[in-house]
Every structure is written in C-alpha cells, then in structure tokens.
Amino acid sequence: MKKILLVVVLVAIAGAGWWWWQSQARGEAPTVAATLSAEHTVGFASVQRVDALAKTLVTALEGAGADAKAGPLGMLTDSASRKAALGFDPAESAGWAEAGLDPTVGVNIVVDSRVLAGGQPLPIALFKVTDREKLLAYIEARAGAKPTLDASQAPVETVTFGGKTALMGTRQGYTALLLGPARKHEQARAGFAAFLGDTSGDLAKGGTLKRAFDGAEDLYFAGYLSGQGAVTLVKGMQGLPEVALSTATHIIERFPGLSYWLGGGAAGGRLVATDKGVELIQKLMVPARKPPEFSRFLGAKGWGAVRISVNLKDLFSGIGDALPPSMSEVKSQIGMAPMMLPMVLGFGWDDLTAAVSGHVVVAFDLASTVAVAQKGNASALQALVLVAVGDTAKADSLVPELLKLAGKAMPNVKPEAVTVAGHAGHKISVAGVEVAVVRVDDVLLGGTIAAIEAAVKRADGEHLTDKTAVAAIDGADVVEGVFYDGEAVAKALAEQGVPGLEAALKGKTLAMALRHDSHGLYGRTDTLGLSTMVGLVGGVGASAFKKYIEASRAAERRVVSPEMPFMPKAPGQAVPTAATVAPPSAAPALGAAGGE
C-alpha cells in the first residue's frame, strides 16, 4: 500500500511539474524593456541587432539572383559600396564601433505617459552610444558640421546641429533623444527630465510582457503596447470625457498587453488576456463544437484558403460584455437583436446557431481564380465556401430558407433541389452560373456544381496534407487561419506582371493562424520570417528594375529609329539610326560616379 501511495505521489509531483513548466512563458523580450517603467511605458518599437539584421539582408539579397545584383539592390551586397554610402559597413559590428554605436540594442522608439506636450505624447528614441567622441566625429565627417551640446540644465541636454536644436539625455546607459516637433520640446522638458531620472526597469519583470513575447526568438523587430501605461496616459490627458477613461480601463482589465515580433525565421505576436479577457474571447470566437476536417475538400497543390471562427451562440452576449458599463443603452439594444431576427429573416437566431457551429472556410484554386479574372467564364472557377454543421437536420432545413432570401433579393433566382456527387442539396442560377449548396456529412459545401463535385472526389483521394496549411485550416484552437501555396502565388503574380518571386517561394507554404489559449490570442508563422520577406522584396525589386531597364532601352530605340531627321548632319553624312546610335547597356547604378 505504501508503494502505491508513493507512486501516486510521484506521479502527482511529476504532473504538477509538467503543468508548471508548460505554463511558463519562454521567449525573448526586446533588450530595452529591462530599462522601462511598467507604470508609465505606453509602448515601444524596437529594431535591435542591427549588424546581424544588415548581414541577414545582405545574405538574402545575395541569394536573390543575378537580376537583383545588377540593379540598385546590388549595392547592398557589396561591402565597399556600403562603406562608401554610410562611412562604415553596417553588416559588421566593428563598423558600428567605428561610429561609436552599439548595434546590439539598436534603436528603440518609446512612448512614456509623462512626456507630454499640449496633452499629447512625444516619442523618445533610445540607443546606446559606446563612444560619444567617435559618434560626434562620425557625424561631422558625414555632414560637414559637428553637433554642440549644452548640459547646463542636466539631466536634459540641448543638442544643436545645423541651426536646429533638440533635447537629449541618458537613462540607464541609453542615450535618449526627444523626437517630435522641436517647437514642442520645451513643453515636454519636465516630463522628459522625469523619464531620464527614473531608475525603474520593472516592465520586463511583469508577467504581461513576458507572456506577450512567449515564443519570440532571434528578434530583429518588435513592438509592444502596454495596457497599464495606456491607462496612465489617458488619466494624464486633459479634456478627455469620462467615458474615454472608463472604456480604456474596461479594455485593459481584459487585455493588458499586445505584442508583435519578427525574427530571422519566424514572426508572431500575442494579445495577452486576463481571465475576463479569455472569457470574452471564448464568447466571441470559440464555438462549442470543434471544427471538422475542412482540408479533405481542398486541393493538394495550388490552393489558398481563409478560415474564420465565430461563436454564434454567445456572440451577442460577448459583444455586450466587450462594451463598458457606461454604454448600457447600447448593450441593451444589442441584447435584443436576436429577438428581432425572425421578423427579418423568417427564422430565429437559435435555429441558425443550432444548424451551423460557426467555423467557415473560403478556399480557392489560385490558377482558376486568375484565369476567371482574366478571361471570365465564372463557371470554371474552382472555389468553395465550407461551413461547419451543428445539427444536420436543422442544417438541411435551413439551407433552402437561406436560398429563399436570395430569391427575394433577386426575383429571377429560383432555388431548386439537386443532387451533386451523391449528396442532396439545393441550387440556384446566378448570371447563367449554377451555384449549389450541399451537405457532405458535417460540412456544407457551396460553389459551382463542378467545384463541389471535384471537392467531394478529393475527400476520398488526393487532398491537402501540408502540415502548416492543415493546422491553419483545421486546428481546434484556431480562430482565424490562412494559407497559400507559395509556388502558385508566384506563378499567379507573374501572370499579373509581377515576376521574380519563383525562387523565394519555391516549395513554400505561406501559412499563419491566430489561436486562442488560456492566456489570450497568439499567432506565429515559421514561413514568413525576415529571410523570406527579404527574398520576396529582393525578387520583386530585381524584376522591377529589370523591367525599368528594358523599358528605358525600348524608349531609346523608339527615339532613334527608324531615322532622326532632326539630328544635324554634315553634307554626305548618313542619318543616325538605331543601328548606329547604341543605347547604354544599363542605367547608372545608385551611387555611381557623377551621380547626385
């Protein structure tokens, strides 16, 4: 018996340890957060590790192909060109040291509730200067003038450069530069001095910020909005109505933090929620029934889809909860809305929420979508609307009622019973195209009859299996999801006159999902990190530059061909033609000798 009890205790301890480990936020918050005030920081945006960022950009552009290197982007892949343009190579940490700057912490834009001018916040730039004399010398070498500093009103210093002044100072090892219109700086001097003298750094210690950056890694860009700081700001702003403060407080009690981040290989963000916020998310976005397997109806290649989930049963109650108590009259009107629907639609809200669960997917084959857009013939469109079913009997009776509403809006539309691929449903004809809605087990399929037939066939054969795409469309915790076949996107854009993305999107699935958990809403994509984004920009930029060169050459040929009678000629001299006046091989590159 003692052994059994010992095993039970050990299992309980192991389970508790696992639960604790799983509940901990594990991620990389921006470095600057460790120096900011939890009470006063409204938000910040950071670009950090700028040397590694520049190196990542260079590496991605080097892989963009010869076209990219031939254009203006080619300058970025050449160290000598970077040094000539900036005075140092930003892809090397030693280059930043030459300019007296710390590339690791980068540049951070902060909004603090104390730094106000005329009741409006002025942003502050925070960065680290490793050697002030080197920085001043660098500025003088590049701009031809050296800034002057007046520290007579410390901790605030006045910097003068080019006849203009600004306020700056230091805070916990960072150099702080007040931004915004210079004419407003004096109004914000006292608040700026308070910001500089504040030694708190408790923003990073709080659970909200840690949770906001849960899962963040390899950060280059990051942004954060603090609910606590926002409420402090609203309280300090003059002339705002009481309803503004009550609304802000009501929201922040539910959602105290919002983040976004972009790393080298991934990107994501989170809306942090308290228990009240989680309950609100459940009421608005989380149906009681889990979603069906939508992916079985979608093509294995060449498709894109968007999924949205809405908790129809508790929707109006959730909207009411989202409004502050000061809007009681509006809350009351929203609460009455479901009772009015039978008079408008002919069926009740309870009928709708019983028939469908609230998960909806809109999916389409990219190639057929482009073809229809270019050539017409909507009947060839391979697109589907997929709706998750709740009660099958009620869903079967609701569909004809919905189609009758379409008939009232369009008198010539008459719903008819139809069987598609062995499944009963109803169809209507719109502009000569037959569109049907049929139920296949737990899903209502809407689309052209040909599209539905193909979808039913795919369900028992080859269909979408890509893990990231399936997770975004079928995931039980997804409230919004989207995916696109990368190669199909590149091909479709090329046909629309935007080539150059084939290499960057080869073999990729572009997928993103907004999910819910016990801490709020979060999203993450491992297919749209910085490297992929730079590859996309590089591909588009290279193709655009190539088209520019080709257009320039074509224009030059039109100017000099077939003859140019306006050109002066000596007696006996031949008239210049396209053959004798050759166009330049390429437009001058940015930064070329003689350029401005």
Side-chain angles (χ1 to χ4, degrees):
M1 185 66 179
K2 289 182 178 180
K3 290 183 178 180
I4 295 175
L5 288 175
L6 179 61
V7 170
V8 171
V9 170
L10 290 175
V11 170
I13 292 174
W18 174 251
W19 174 86
W20 177 86
W21 173 255
Q22 288 292 93
S23 67
Q24 298 304 298
R26 293 178 293 277
E28 174 190 342
T31 307
V32 73
T35 70
L36 299 178
S37 163
E39 179 182 0
H40 295 288
T41 302
V42 180
F44 64 81
S46 296
V47 183
Q48 61 181 39
R49 297 167 55 227
V50 288
D51 53 341
L53 170 62
K55 187 168 289 186
T56 299
L57 293 171
V58 169
T59 302
L61 289 173
E62 285 176 342
D67 288 340
K69 295 178 184 178
L73 294 176
M75 183 188 76
L76 301 179
T77 63
D78 178 65
S79 178
S81 297
R82 295 193 296 269
K83 289 180 179 179
L86 298 176
F88 68 93
D89 189 346
E92 302 293 336
S93 57
W96 290 92
E98 293 173 11
L101 294 169
D102 181 354
T104 304
V105 299
V107 180
N108 310 273
I109 306 300
V110 178
V111 176
D112 187 281
S113 63
R114 293 165 290 192
V115 186
L116 304 176
Q120 301 298 316
L122 293 184
I124 304 160
L126 287 180
F127 51 94
K128 276 194 175 181
V129 176
T130 56
D131 190 319
R132 177 174 283 195
E133 290 305 315
K134 282 187 177 181
L135 177 60
L136 294 177
Y138 169 76
I139 295 173
E140 183 178 14
R142 302 303 298 174
K146 187 174 183 178
T148 59
L149 299 174
D150 178 5
S152 61
Q153 299 184 56
V156 178
E157 298 177 81
T158 301
V159 57
T160 303
F161 180 70
K164 298 181 179 180
T165 62
L167 302 183
M168 64 181 295
T170 58
R171 173 191 167 93
Q172 300 188 39
Y174 283 78
T175 294
L177 179 65
L178 187 61
L179 305 177
R183 67 180 185 277
K184 294 185 177 182
H185 283 191
E186 282 304 318
Q187 301 176 50
R189 179 184 284 271
F192 187 48
F195 171 79
L196 296 175
D198 184 1
T199 59
S200 67
D202 53 353
L203 180 63
K205 298 176 183 177
T208 299
L209 183 124
K210 290 180 180 178
R211 183 61 61 187
F213 287 97
D214 185 16
E217 58 185 346
D218 194 25
L219 290 187
Y220 289 122
F221 298 94
Y224 179 69
L225 180 63
S226 167
Q228 183 180 356
V231 170
T232 305
L233 174 65
V234 172
K235 287 180 178 178
M237 297 177 71
Q238 301 175 355
L240 288 180
E242 182 62 29
V243 67
L245 179 58
S246 65
T247 300
T249 303
H250 183 80
I251 294 172
I252 299 313
E253 285 177 351
R254 288 154 179 78
F255 305 108
L258 176 67
S259 70
Y260 169 77
W261 58 270
L262 174 65
R270 176 179 281 275
L271 176 64
V272 182
T274 62
D275 290 343
K276 288 182 178 180
V278 170
E279 182 182 354
L280 180 57
I281 290 169
Q282 294 279 341
K283 282 189 173 183
L284 293 174
M285 302 178 179
V286 185
R289 281 177 174 265
K290 292 183 179 180
E293 188 183 339
F294 289 119
S295 58
R296 71 187 192 268
F297 297 110
L298 309 186
K301 297 289 183 181
W303 279 67
V306 178
R307 171 181 149 196
I308 296 176
S309 294
V310 179
N311 184 357
L312 297 173
K313 183 177 180 181
D314 298 322
L315 179 63
F316 290 101
S317 173
I319 294 173
D321 289 350
L323 299 175
S326 57
M327 302 180 68
S328 57
E329 185 176 344
V330 177
K331 290 164 67 83
S332 176
Q333 292 173 350
I334 291 173
M336 294 175 60
M339 294 182 287
M340 300 175 63
L341 287 177
M343 294 181 288
V344 178
L345 301 178
F347 53 85
W349 186 252
D350 289 341
D351 297 326
L352 178 64
T353 59
V356 296
S357 66
H359 304 289
V360 179
V361 169
V362 177
F364 43 87
D365 173 77
L366 288 162
S368 74
T369 302
V370 171
V372 170
Q374 291 177 336
K375 304 174 183 177
N377 187 21
S379 61
L381 180 63
Q382 284 289 315
L384 298 165
V385 177
L386 310 172
V387 180
V389 169
D391 184 301
T392 56
K394 291 193 174 184
D396 291 342
S397 62
L398 183 66
V399 169
E401 294 298 322
L402 290 172
L403 293 178
K404 285 179 184 177
L405 291 177
K408 291 180 180 179
M410 297 176 286
N412 294 328
V413 173
K414 305 293 184 184
E416 300 178 34
V418 68
T419 298
V420 181
H423 298 275
H426 295 78
K427 70 174 183 178
I428 57 176
S429 180
V430 181
V433 179
E434 288 192 334
V435 179
V437 179
V438 303
R439 181 176 62 81
V440 180
D441 301 326
D442 53 356
V443 179
L444 289 173
L445 279 71
T448 64
I449 291 179
I452 294 174
E453 288 175 338
V456 173
K457 185 177 180 179
R458 276 192 295 270
D460 295 323
E462 185 179 3
H463 54 262
L464 181 68
T465 56
D466 181 272
K467 290 183 179 179
T468 57
V470 171
I473 298 302
D474 291 346
D477 58 350
V478 172
V479 296
E480 291 184 14
V482 59
F483 87 88
Y484 293 97
D485 182 307
E487 292 186 19
V489 169
K491 184 177 180 181
L493 289 174
E495 292 177 1
Q496 295 297 309
V498 186
L501 298 179
E502 291 82 356
L505 294 178
K506 184 176 179 60
K508 288 186 178 293
T509 296
L510 307 179
M512 178 73 179
L514 183 63
R515 294 178 163 87
H516 71 89
D517 62 11
S518 59
H519 303 290
L521 297 173
Y522 72 98
R524 179 189 172 101
T525 173
D526 293 311
T527 57
L528 283 175
L530 180 68
S531 298
T532 300
M533 289 186 177
V534 173
L536 296 177
V537 172
V540 172
S543 65
F545 181 75
K546 186 176 181 181
K547 289 174 67 176
Y548 161 73
I549 294 298
E550 292 173 349
S552 298
R553 289 174 176 170
E556 289 166 346
R557 284 193 292 269
R558 286 194 298 271
V559 169
V560 300
S561 181
E563 288 189 349
M564 298 189 297
F566 51 84
M567 292 284 286
K569 60 178 181 174
Q573 180 184 7
V575 175
T577 66
T580 59
V581 181
S585 59
L590 293 181
E596 301 236 348

